[in-house]
Amino acid sequence: AVYTAAVYHDKIYLGTNQGLYFRPFSSSDEPFRLVPETQGQIWDCKVIDDRLFVNHNKGTFEITGDQVRQISSVSGGFSITENPLKPNSLVQSTYSNLIFYRKDNSQWRIDRVVYQFNDLIRYLEVDHFGNFWASHLYRGIFRLKFDSRDSLIYNRYYGSDVFGKDHNIH
């Protein structure tokens, strides 16, 4: 099953339940090949900072050119996005926690794991007011706010009271 796709450096990448596969974007005749070290469930692929971030059940991988580097071993990387409130900062949802990354000497590294909020967040977006909208895999959406040190200061759940249902809300 294909869960995600991304175009990066003239290649198309498909994230599947078997691993990450690629082929040249312009060649529909060439077969897809497995990216080494990516066997397993791929949840999301996203191009940020001219790198391909691959969210995997074994953690998070960064692909730069032909190099694959694991930047997190926190299981179940679901969604990763830029944090518009802080330059050189990313935020990611996982099976258990949220993770903040920072770019240090052109390398992305974990800056902080948020332990005050641990839920199964599938999708994550940040709005221009600094609200983090976290969509649970099965039920509702959380609105989160963090202070300048990325500590959770606000958490509100929205479900059937707002949407008329509390499941499959993206």
Side-chain angles (χ1 to χ4, degrees):
V2 175
Y3 286 82
T4 185
V7 176
Y8 173 69
H9 287 204
D10 298 320
K11 295 177 184 158
I12 184 165
Y13 289 84
L14 299 179
T16 75
N17 60 336
Q18 302 291 313
L20 184 67
Y21 291 84
F22 76 98
R23 75 170 185 211
F25 184 70
S26 60
S27 173
S28 59
D29 296 335
E30 228 174 297
F32 281 93
R33 294 181 294 169
L34 179 68
V35 175
E37 304 172 39
T38 66
Q39 295 87 345
Q41 177 67 56
I42 307 294
W43 290 109
D44 190 39
C45 297
K46 194 166 198 178
V47 178
I48 301 172
D49 190 36
D50 197 34
R51 300 153 201 241
L52 180 63
F53 288 86
V54 178
N55 297 301
H56 192 287
N57 67 307
K58 294 180 183 171
T60 305
F61 297 88
E62 173 190 64
I63 296 177
T64 309
D66 292 332
Q67 301 295 316
V68 177
R69 180 173 81 92
Q70 189 167 15
I71 61 170
S72 169
S73 60
V74 176
S75 65
F78 270 137
S79 176
I80 193 165
T81 190
E82 293 178 272
N83 182 349
L85 308 173
K86 289 185 176 182
N88 297 314
S89 176
L90 305 174
V91 61
Q92 178 186 41
S93 61
T94 69
Y95 289 164
S96 56
N97 303 97
L98 298 180
I99 300 174
F100 285 90
Y101 294 88
R102 70 178 160 79
K103 190 174 176 184
D104 185 31
N105 293 327
S106 78
Q107 295 290 317
W108 287 100
R109 302 182 197 290
I110 292 177
D111 187 37
R112 177 170 167 72
V113 177
V114 177
Y115 293 105
Q116 306 110 312
F117 178 81
N118 50 351
D119 233 311
L120 199 56
I121 300 304
R122 177 64 178 99
Y123 300 103
L124 186 64
E125 295 292 336
V126 184
D127 71 20
H128 62 289
F129 293 116
N131 296 298
F132 288 69
W133 296 94
S135 175
H136 192 277
L137 183 61
Y138 302 114
R139 56 178 183 81
I141 293 178
F142 295 89
R143 179 178 160 213
L144 310 171
K145 295 268 291 184
F146 296 89
D147 65 14
S148 61
R149 294 175 299 159
D150 299 325
S151 293
L152 185 65
I153 58 172
Y154 181 85
N155 176 357
R156 180 164 180 205
Y157 173 77
Y158 299 91
S160 59
D161 57 329
V162 173
F163 299 105
K165 63 178 186 173
D166 67 354
H167 58 284
N168 295 327
I169 302 171
H170 300 255

